[in-house]
Amino acid sequence: MSAALPMRPKDLALALLVIGVWGVNFAVIKIGIVGVPPMLLGALRFMLAAFPALLLFKAPRVPLRWYLAYGLTISVGQFAFLFSAIHVGMPSGLASLVLQSQSFFTLLLASWWLHERWHAHQMAGLLLALAGLVLIGVAHGAVVSGDSLPLLGFGLTLLAALSWACGNIVTRLVSHYGPMNQLAFVVWASLFPPLPLLLLTWLAHGSAPFNALVTHMEWLTVVSLLFQVYA
């Protein structure tokens, strides 16, 4: 077995950039939901993710049901729950941590759905991650009283993580169709989330948010959307 090659400075810089953008993204989400309801923010996010990018990419040859499955899990499910969690008071920094429980859920789903076998180091990682989540919940009052950390926000973030994990399983199943442009797949899958998210917005708030969106959109909302979609 050949030894692992050292990471080049360029690769390290790009990795750190991704970490920075991902971390800042949660604070940006909190800014965005001040101006519009969380579901509407999600719908706008995926509209911009799809257009005009789909004009630049050819849709991979994958059955339509997998585009729909990916859009409903890792897109609608994850972001509807995550945006709602932050909206009801989940601290954005803790949301970014709790959301990483998706790795825990992914291993569980992969074992059950794909019949993948666990290894000792994976089990150790699962237990460590679970202990960390419990400590976060207890330390901030979510498990005990919900005063410091809203219990609803904590639960919604876990559901977002579960949705992300389901999307990971979909991604694994899609890979069976052979090598493809993953960016193109994500772009075309972004066509599906806006409609259910718009419907959820209307069911929860009626037409008022749509009227407000047309008459006056706050510039912070625009900045939030541009960062989430393009950064």
Side-chain angles (χ1 to χ4, degrees):
M1 181 179 295
S2 59
L5 295 175
M7 182 176 287
R8 296 179 301 174
K10 177 183 177 182
D11 298 329
L12 179 60
L14 288 173
L16 292 175
L17 177 62
V18 171
I19 292 171
V21 170
W22 178 248
V24 172
N25 182 61
F26 288 83
V28 172
I29 291 172
K30 193 163 188 175
I31 293 173
I33 59 176
V34 173
V36 296
M39 302 295 182
L40 182 55
L41 183 69
L44 295 172
R45 179 191 188 281
F46 285 103
M47 285 180 184
L48 291 176
F51 298 100
L54 61 80
L55 301 177
L56 305 176
F57 297 98
K58 183 179 179 180
R61 297 178 63 85
V62 176
L64 183 63
R65 65 179 182 276
W66 294 117
Y67 283 101
L68 181 60
Y70 185 88
L72 291 179
T73 54
I74 211 166
S75 300
V76 174
Q78 178 185 184
F79 287 94
F81 287 127
L82 176 62
F83 286 8
S84 297
I86 295 177
H87 179 69
V88 300
M90 181 70 175
S92 55
L94 287 176
S96 67
L97 290 175
V98 175
L99 191 62
Q100 295 310 315
S101 62
Q102 59 86 16
S103 58
F104 176 83
F105 292 126
T106 299
L107 282 175
L108 290 176
L109 290 173
S111 176
W112 169 68
W113 197 343
L114 303 179
H115 306 292
E116 293 184 354
R117 300 183 64 181
W118 294 0
H119 300 286
H121 68 277
Q122 292 174 325
M123 178 62 72
L126 279 177
L127 294 175
L128 182 61
L130 180 61
L133 283 175
V134 171
L135 286 175
I136 290 173
V138 172
H140 291 270
V143 174
V144 179
S145 64
D147 295 332
S148 175
L149 179 62
L151 183 59
L152 177 59
F154 189 76
L156 288 172
T157 307
L158 287 177
L159 288 174
L162 177 60
S163 299
W164 184 357
C166 291
N168 289 338
I169 301 301
V170 172
T171 302
R172 175 68 64 86
L173 294 172
V174 168
S175 68
H176 294 164
Y177 289 90
M180 71 181 68
N181 187 330
Q182 292 290 341
L183 178 58
F185 178 77
V186 171
V187 165
W188 281 87
S190 295
L191 285 172
F192 295 92
L195 185 58
L197 289 170
L198 289 173
L199 179 60
L200 289 171
T201 301
W202 182 79
L203 291 174
H205 304 283
S207 61
F210 301 100
N211 297 332
L213 193 64
V214 174
T215 56
H216 60 280
M217 177 185 281
E218 298 183 10
W219 68 270
L220 284 176
T221 302
V222 176
V223 171
S224 174
L225 282 169
L226 293 178
F227 186 90
Q228 291 180 60
V229 173
Y230 300 114

